[in-house]
Amino acid sequence: MRIAFSFLLVIHGLIHLMGFVKGFQLAEMAQLRQPVSALAGVFWLLTCLLFLASGGLFFAGKHFGWMLLLPAILLSQTLIIQQWQDAKFGTIANIVALIGLVLAFGAWRFDKMVSSEKQAFLAVPTEDKRLKEEELAPLPPVVQRWVRQSGAVGQPRVYTVHLKQSGRLRTQKEGDWLPFQAEQYFTVDHPGFIWIASIQAMPMVEIVGRDKYENGRGNMRIELMSLFQMVNATGPEIDQGSLLRYLAETCWFPDAALQPYIQWDSVGLHAAQATMTYGDIRASGVFYFNESDDLLRFEAKRYYSRKEGATLEDWQIVNHEWKTLNGLRIPVRSEVIWKLKDGDYSWLTLEITDIHYNEHLSGNESLRPD
């Protein structure tokens, strides 16, 4: 769709060269029967250049191309009106371009909001401090083994995380699966995350989502085509769910197990309960490990949204595959399941496609070896 739209803008822009050629009498333009002055010819050329530039920006995935497309459409339509008998069908292309402009503006606005939040979120002090074996001593034995076998001992402590995901989700138990791509950022000393997702609801229809946990508060925002707000959820239930999500997702940076806001209790040989307290929210979940000390699943009671009000339900993340990425062995393929009274509701599957730690300590480079 983006490439087709860019191609349309380029072709539409090149057509405007006819007005420039006629205005400067460079060649006969039988398609334009009305006279075109040299000054008008300059505006035809300027319109062409604006369409070409905006088309190039959209082709490169730059949503701010709408800033050039707006004057291009206005100039184009003005010139078309002056040459209405010969150029009126150009209005159709301008209408299509205007629709694309509105969608691009929505995406640009959403990206700008998320970028501003991300910059403020990641502005945290850090230092190059490495995890030592003796620091694991206060943890339950199974958690010690997990952190150790992940490769975290001897590595720099994690302060920030940036990862990319792909997967599928559905909004109803028997609903269709929708593909998504997402990026997520974490801070560790002061726990928080920002998750930014693009969900393909149907051909040419995109839903964008931003899930945020910061300063002990959660906020889920979902927009259709980056223009129409569908969800903007806040409140105690969202705060509790966001805290539990953060706790579960420490599986991607295991040395967070040593953070003071997490307290551990053994639950048998291959399980441990983690209780996270931050701000005025406190919640617990159980980490289950397999014989190889990989994290097998996480289980907790989390609020499930219903029309009649949120209810506490069993919530589970099951890991299906583990790999070493950027120096740490972590789960890379997972499934999120609600264990409801009327049966399991598997609502999301994901795969980690890339992950980096402490990027901003040295520009865009991770402190960990590839």
Side-chain angles (χ1 to χ4, degrees):
M1 178 177 165
R2 173 176 56 86
I3 294 174
F5 182 64
S6 303
F7 183 73
L8 169 71
L9 295 182
V10 169
I11 296 300
H12 189 44
L14 291 174
I15 291 173
H16 286 75
L17 283 177
M18 292 192 299
F20 167 71
V21 170
K22 176 149 186 144
F24 282 85
Q25 300 180 356
L26 300 177
E28 275 295 323
M29 285 289 124
Q31 297 90 340
L32 297 177
R33 288 167 290 181
Q34 295 177 254
V36 177
S37 68
L39 179 60
V42 171
F43 283 108
W44 281 93
L45 176 61
L46 176 60
T47 304
C48 169
L49 295 176
L50 287 170
F51 273 119
L52 293 179
S54 59
L57 289 172
F58 284 121
F59 183 80
K62 306 297 183 182
H63 294 138
F64 61 82
W66 73 268
M67 296 181 183
L68 295 181
L69 185 55
L70 178 59
I73 294 172
L74 293 175
L75 277 173
S76 174
Q77 197 57 38
T78 300
L79 295 169
I80 286 171
I81 290 171
Q82 293 175 357
Q83 297 282 335
W84 184 253
Q85 290 301 318
D86 301 320
K88 57 187 175 184
F89 291 108
T91 301
I92 298 173
N94 280 338
I95 291 173
V96 175
L98 183 62
I99 294 171
L101 181 150
V102 171
L103 297 178
F105 171 78
W108 171 82
R109 179 193 58 81
F110 185 84
D111 290 349
K112 188 176 180 182
M113 176 196 74
V114 169
S115 178
S116 176
E117 289 182 341
K118 185 178 70 176
Q119 289 179 10
F121 176 76
L122 293 175
V124 295
T126 58
E127 58 180 319
D128 186 358
K129 181 181 177 182
R130 294 178 181 267
L131 179 62
K132 299 177 181 178
E133 172 67 30
E134 55 267 27
E135 294 181 83
L136 303 182
L139 301 175
V142 66
V143 181
Q144 291 185 38
R145 296 195 302 269
W146 168 51
V147 176
R148 188 180 297 115
Q149 69 87 40
S150 75
V153 175
Q155 294 273 28
R157 294 297 301 270
V158 173
Y159 299 98
T160 64
V161 182
H162 174 205
L163 60 80
K164 296 181 180 180
Q165 307 168 343
S166 63
R168 303 181 307 158
L169 59 81
R170 53 185 177 181
T171 57
Q172 297 178 9
K173 188 176 179 181
E174 303 300 331
D176 293 334
W177 288 98
L178 307 177
F180 75 88
Q181 300 285 330
E183 289 192 59
Q184 191 167 3
Y185 299 84
F186 294 88
T187 56
V188 182
D189 279 0
H190 300 283
F193 64 76
I194 294 179
W195 182 75
I196 309 116
S198 172
I199 305 161
Q200 200 66 45
M202 60 182 67
M204 297 188 294
V205 177
E206 179 193 42
I207 295 173
V208 293
R210 192 274 285 131
D211 195 10
K212 182 171 71 169
Y213 174 60
E214 186 177 19
N215 297 324
R217 295 289 177 260
N219 174 218
M220 168 58 84
R221 185 180 182 124
I222 300 173
E223 296 183 359
L224 176 63
M225 303 300 289
S226 302
L227 290 170
F228 308 104
Q229 183 172 287
M230 301 169 65
V231 175
N232 189 11
T234 59
E237 292 87 1
I238 299 297
D239 297 340
Q240 186 261 13
S242 297
L243 181 147
L244 277 174
R245 175 177 174 176
Y246 177 88
L247 179 59
E249 292 176 353
T250 58
C251 64
W252 297 319
F253 41 103
D255 71 340
L258 284 86
Q259 289 293 331
Y261 49 77
I262 301 177
Q263 301 298 314
W264 292 92
D265 295 291
S266 292
V267 183
L269 184 61
H270 295 290
Q273 177 174 281
T275 300
M276 180 170 168
T277 305
Y278 199 76
D280 55 358
I281 304 295
R282 179 186 177 94
S284 298
V286 179
F287 288 78
Y288 293 89
F289 304 89
N290 61 21
E291 297 290 337
S292 301
D293 297 321
D294 289 315
L295 178 59
L296 185 61
R297 69 183 187 274
F298 174 84
E299 295 181 356
K301 289 280 191 181
R302 183 176 177 179
Y303 282 102
Y304 178 75
S305 296
R306 302 177 185 273
K307 291 182 179 179
E308 58 272 20
T311 58
L312 271 177
E313 304 289 348
D314 291 327
W315 179 70
Q316 184 180 91
I317 298 179
V318 180
N319 299 316
H320 298 291
E321 185 178 355
W322 303 262
K323 289 182 181 178
T324 298
L325 297 179
N326 221 345
L328 289 179
R329 181 172 171 82
I330 59 171
V332 295
R333 195 164 56 85
S334 307
E335 179 182 10
V336 183
I337 304 169
W338 288 99
K339 310 287 285 185
L340 305 177
K341 292 179 181 178
D342 58 350
D344 291 356
Y345 170 21
S346 173
W347 86 273
L348 182 144
T349 65
L350 66 86
E351 180 178 355
I352 303 298
T353 58
D354 194 17
I355 190 166
H356 292 277
Y357 303 96
N358 302 336
E359 282 181 324
H360 64 299
L361 286 183
S362 54
N364 290 323
E365 298 293 330
S366 172
L367 287 179
R368 299 182 185 278
D370 291 332

